[in-house]
C-alpha cells in the first residue's frame, strides 16, 4: 500500500535510520503463504515488501501474490482505522516488484526497482529487459524507481544469470566509480547485491565507497542473516537492508517474526 508521502519520498526518507525490506519470492510459495509471511514481516518491523527473486516466475504468479498481499494490507488498514489504539500508518507499506526480467510484472504493485545491472556483460540486463518491460509499466501505472544494480562476489544465481563481472571486496575505487556513474545517470538508488544465500555479505569497505556518493539511497542485500551483519551494513552506510532467505527458510511465523525483528534491531542500531 502506498504511504501517504508517496513511494519515492518514502524510499528516500532518511529520518527513520536504516530500514528493512523483506523479499518474498512468489515462485517459492503460494500467494496465501507469501501474504502470511509479508504480514508477519511487517509486524516484526519490515518497512517494505519486495516481490521477486526467481528468474522464471510467470506474470500471473507474481500478480496473484502482489494482489493477495495488497488485499491483506487493506484489511489491516481498515481494522486499524476501527481501533483508536492501533496505528494505521504501520500498514501503509509499499509492495515493490524486484524483477528478474520483463516477465515478472504486476499492475497490483506500488512500484518497481527499475534496474540496470551495471556490471553485466550482456545488453539484455543493461537495457534489453527494461525495453520490453517499460511499455507495460507505463500502461499499468506502476512507479519506476530508477536503480543501479551491482553484483558482488560471490554473486550467486543472479551473478551467473546476469553474467556479471563480479566485484571483489577490495575493489573500493571501482565501487566508487560505479556509484558516481549511477548518480550521473540520474539513478536515485544503488542496490549492492552479494547474491541470494551468499556466504559473505557485501563488505563494509564497498558499502562505504558507495556511501561517499551521498545523493544515492543504498540498498544492501545478499547473505544477511544476523543482527550483527545488519548492523555492519547499516553502520557502513546502507539505507535499506534486504533479506530473503531468512524468511523463506523460517519454519513457522513465530520464527520468521523473531528472525526479522533481530535483523531490524541490527539495522536500527546504526549511528549514521
Ligand atoms: C537477494 O539481496 C537479496 O536478491 C536477499 O538475499 O536471500 O541472502 O537474504 P538473501
Amino acid at each position: 500500500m502506498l504511504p501517504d508521502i508517496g513511494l519515492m519520498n518514502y524510499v528516500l526518507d532518511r529520518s527513520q535510520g536504516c530500514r528493512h525490506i523483506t523479499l518474498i519470492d512468489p515462485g517459492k510459495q503460494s500467494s496465501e503463504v507469501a501474504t502470511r509471511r509479508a504480514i508477519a514481516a511487517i509486524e516484526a518491523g519490515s518497512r517494505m515488501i519486495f516481490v521477486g527473486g526467481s528468474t522464471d516466475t510467470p506474470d500471473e504468479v507474481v500478480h496473484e501474490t502482489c494482489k493477495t498481499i495488497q488485499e491483506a494490507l487493506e484489511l489491516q488498514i481498515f481494522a486499524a482505522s476501527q481501533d483508536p489504539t492501533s496505528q494505521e500508518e504501520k500498514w501503509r507499506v509499499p509492495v515493490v516488484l524486484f524483477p528478474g526480467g520483463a516477465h515478472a510484472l504486476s499492475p497490483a504493485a506500488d512500484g518497481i526497482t527499475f534496474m540496470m545491472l551495471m556490471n553485466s556483460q550482456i545488453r539484455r540486463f543493461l537495457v534489453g529487459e527494461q525495453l520490453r518491460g517499460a511499455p507495460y509499466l507505463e500502461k499499468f501505472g506502476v512507479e519506476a524507481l530508477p536503480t543501479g544494480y551491482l553484483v558482488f562476489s560471490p554473486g550467486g544465481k543472479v551473478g551467473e544469470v546476469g553474467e556479471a563481472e563480479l566485484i571483489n571486496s577490495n575493489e573500493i575505487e571501482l565501487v566508487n566509480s560505479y556509484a558516481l556513474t549511477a548518480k550521473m545517470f540520474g539513478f536515485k538508488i544503488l542496490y549492492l547485491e552479494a547474491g541470494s544465500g551468499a556466504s559473505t555479505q557485501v563488505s563494509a569497505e564497498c558499502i562505504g565507497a558507495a556511501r561517499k556518493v551521498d545523493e544515492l539511497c543504498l540498498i544492501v542485500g545478499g547473505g544477511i542473516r544476523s543482527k550483527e551483519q545488519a548492523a555492519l551494513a547499516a553502520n557502513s552506510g546502507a539505507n535499506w537492508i534486504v533479506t530473503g532467505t531468512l524468511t523463506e527458510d523460517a519454519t513457522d511465523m513465530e520464527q520468521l517474526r523473531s528472525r526479522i525483528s533481530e535483523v531490524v534491531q541490527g539495522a536500527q542500531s546504526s549511528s549514521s
Side-chain angles (χ1 to χ4, degrees), residues 23 98 149 158 191-198 220-224 242-246:
L23 169 64
F98 174 61
Y149 189 46
V158 68
Y191 189 139
L192 310 180
E193 169 77 89
S196 184
V220 178
I224 297 176
V242 187
T243 64
T245 306
L246 199 65

Side-chain angles (χ1 to χ4, degrees), residues 24-40 49 51 57-73 95 106 108 248 253:
I24 304 256
D25 188 340
K28 289 192 180 155
Q29 61 225 292
S30 68
S31 57
E32 287 73 26
V33 172
T35 299
R36 288 217 308 276
R37 287 182 167 167
I39 296 294
I49 302 295
V51 176
T57 316
D59 277 340
E60 308 80 73
V61 176
V62 174
H63 179 55
E64 194 53 36
T65 299
C66 289
K67 197 164 71 88
T68 313
I69 296 174
Q70 295 285 33
E71 285 166 0
L73 289 175
V95 176
S106 161
E248 308 289 359
M253 293 303 151

Side-chain angles (χ1 to χ4, degrees), residues 80 85 131 154 157 272:
T85 62
L131 202 59
K157 185 131 185 252
S272 53

Side-chain angles (χ1 to χ4, degrees), residues 2-15:
L2 273 182
D4 291 338
I5 57 171
L7 181 59
M8 186 60 96
N9 286 337
Y10 179 86
V11 172
L12 300 184
D13 178 21
R14 293 188 185 182
S15 67

Side-chain angles (χ1 to χ4, degrees), residues 178-239:
Y178 269 122
L180 287 168
T181 305
K183 180 185 87 163
M184 290 174 190
F185 265 121
F187 299 153
K188 302 289 182 213
I189 300 163
L190 187 64
Y191 189 139
L192 310 180
E193 169 77 89
S196 184
S199 51
T200 48
Q201 70 188 113
V202 176
S203 72
E205 294 74 17
C206 286
I207 301 172
R211 178 70 289 151
K212 284 197 183 139
V213 182
D214 187 53
E215 297 88 335
L216 292 170
C217 168
L218 294 184
I219 301 182
V220 178
I224 297 176
R225 302 187 65 87
S226 68
K227 189 176 176 175
E228 293 70 28
Q229 285 178 297
L232 179 92
N235 283 306
S236 308
N239 300 109

